[in-house]
Amino acid sequence: MKEAVLRGDYSRAGPDYAVEQDWAAYTGAEHALYRRLYARQSALVPRYACPEFEHALAGLDAGQAIPDFSAVSRRLRPVTGWEIVPVPGLIPDEAFFTHLAARRFPVTVWLRTQAEFDYIVEPDVFHDFFGHVPLLFDPAYAEHLCEYGKGGLKALRLGALPMLARLYWYTIEFGLVRTERGLRAYGAGLLSSGGELAHAIDGPAPRRFAFDLERMMRTGYAIDRYQDAYFVIEGFAHLLRDTAPDFAPLYARLRQLPVLAADVPLPGDHIVG
Ligand code: HBI
Ligand code: FE
């Protein structure tokens, strides 16, 4: 399949795909667009985001302008040992997982255009920063993401990346968590989306599965529309515990099984709220 043409400028990327953020180069119009995106999403946070995200976002005070990654990294390092690495956009899996395993989160340096206010295919700085960075301040989540990075390098070696990518998709990107205030989002793709956040939690259509490693690893997903199904964890400690085991035996068993559709019921499906 022809590689999608990536949008960022990879010409000055290093061997680890890192680039300079060049914060001074952002225009006033870009900061204004970022503020509008931030205002829209942060208004949804009290109703739809998990408490850990809401708490971390409030502490970041990152709504006035496109954040300066090095300033945020200086605050993040002492809390969970993570830092932000500026990248031109999507980077090869090996480089991506190597960064995560070293507690470096790749954040795209460019911002979408006004025309992409409601939807963008490739992750931009708003998706990566608003969606992913706040939870890096949560110790259990931060620990899980580092383990996920190590798991990604192992999955690459085992040729099992598509299965692990589905797990990432249904947790880090589109995950829901049960809280005493009901189901809330912790997935970055939900938290940074104008419409899918409410759809995932209030929408009548989507199926909401209890956490199920095997079902997640086997369930396909679409990147260009709302999900047909979401998976619910009981908390970040639960996610960390349930993804700790060695996945090699699971990969061996699942790799020859067909990929499942999210909207086709299976006998073992455990639908929750
Ligand atoms: N690169 N910058 C960036 N951001 C991602 O989220 C990303 C990536 N490369 C690969 C990748 N994600 C996926 O293959 C994994 O999430 C499975
Ligand atoms: Fe993402």
Side-chain angles (χ1 to χ4, degrees):
M1 180 180 95
K2 196 166 98 40
E3 272 297 297
V5 174
L6 294 174
R7 182 148 156 187
D9 174 4
Y10 291 72
S11 63
R12 287 195 299 278
D16 63 354
Y17 285 84
V19 293
E20 291 300 315
Q21 181 186 11
D22 193 3
W23 190 84
Y26 292 123
T27 66
E30 285 174 311
H31 287 300
L33 172 54
Y34 178 92
R35 278 196 296 278
R36 286 199 297 279
L37 285 161
Y38 186 96
R40 178 187 61 185
Q41 285 315 110
S42 52
L44 299 171
V45 163
R47 166 67 188 86
Y48 294 114
C50 65
E52 297 85 346
F53 178 91
E54 183 174 17
H55 175 69
L57 186 70
L60 266 174
D61 186 26
Q64 307 316 314
I66 295 171
D68 175 339
F69 297 174
S70 49
V72 177
S73 292
R74 275 196 296 280
R75 295 186 47 197
L76 181 55
R77 264 187 220 100
V79 180
T80 58
W82 277 81
E83 64 183 70
I84 294 173
V85 57
V87 292
L90 288 172
I91 62 177
D93 293 325
E94 174 99 27
F96 180 68
F97 292 121
T98 301
H99 281 307
L100 294 191
R103 293 182 182 251
R104 291 190 301 263
F105 194 84
V107 177
T108 296
V109 295
W110 52 264
L111 180 69
R112 69 188 71 184
T113 62
Q114 174 59 41
E116 297 162 307
F117 190 80
D118 286 325
Y119 180 71
I120 185 163
V121 181
E122 244 188 279
D124 71 335
V125 61
F126 185 74
H127 164 81
D128 279 339
F129 188 90
F130 187 93
H132 286 284
V133 169
L135 282 176
L136 295 176
F137 284 85
D138 178 87
Y141 178 95
E143 179 68 25
H144 166 70
L145 201 58
C146 178
E147 290 309 309
Y148 175 80
K150 295 174 193 163
L153 293 170
K154 186 173 167 186
L156 275 172
R157 286 195 300 276
L158 295 172
L161 191 64
M163 287 180 271
L164 192 74
R166 293 184 200 114
L167 172 63
Y168 183 86
W169 189 262
Y170 286 114
T171 51
I172 306 303
E173 290 297 350
F174 289 92
L176 298 178
V177 57
R178 184 182 311 290
T179 75
E180 64 274 7
R181 291 183 288 177
L183 293 187
R184 293 295 174 107
Y186 70 95
L190 292 178
L191 291 164
S192 61
S193 164
E196 191 163 4
L197 188 47
H199 166 81
I201 290 169
D202 289 339
R207 310 178 78 217
R208 296 176 185 90
F209 294 111
F211 181 89
D212 176 341
L213 259 187
E214 184 165 331
R215 189 56 157 102
M216 277 189 227
M217 287 190 175
R218 291 188 61 195
T219 302
Y221 55 85
I223 66 165
D224 54 359
R225 57 181 174 76
Y226 289 1
Q227 301 307 307
D228 295 320
Y230 300 95
F231 287 81
V232 179
I233 62 172
E234 299 307 314
F236 296 141
H238 161 241
L239 178 63
L240 189 59
R241 183 197 66 220
D242 284 20
T243 54
D246 170 20
F247 287 163
L250 198 52
Y251 292 150
R253 186 158 53 79
L254 300 186
R255 74 170 65 245
Q256 59 255 0
L257 299 177
V259 177
L260 302 169
D263 57 353
V264 173
L266 286 178
D269 284 349
H270 174 189
I271 300 291
V272 294

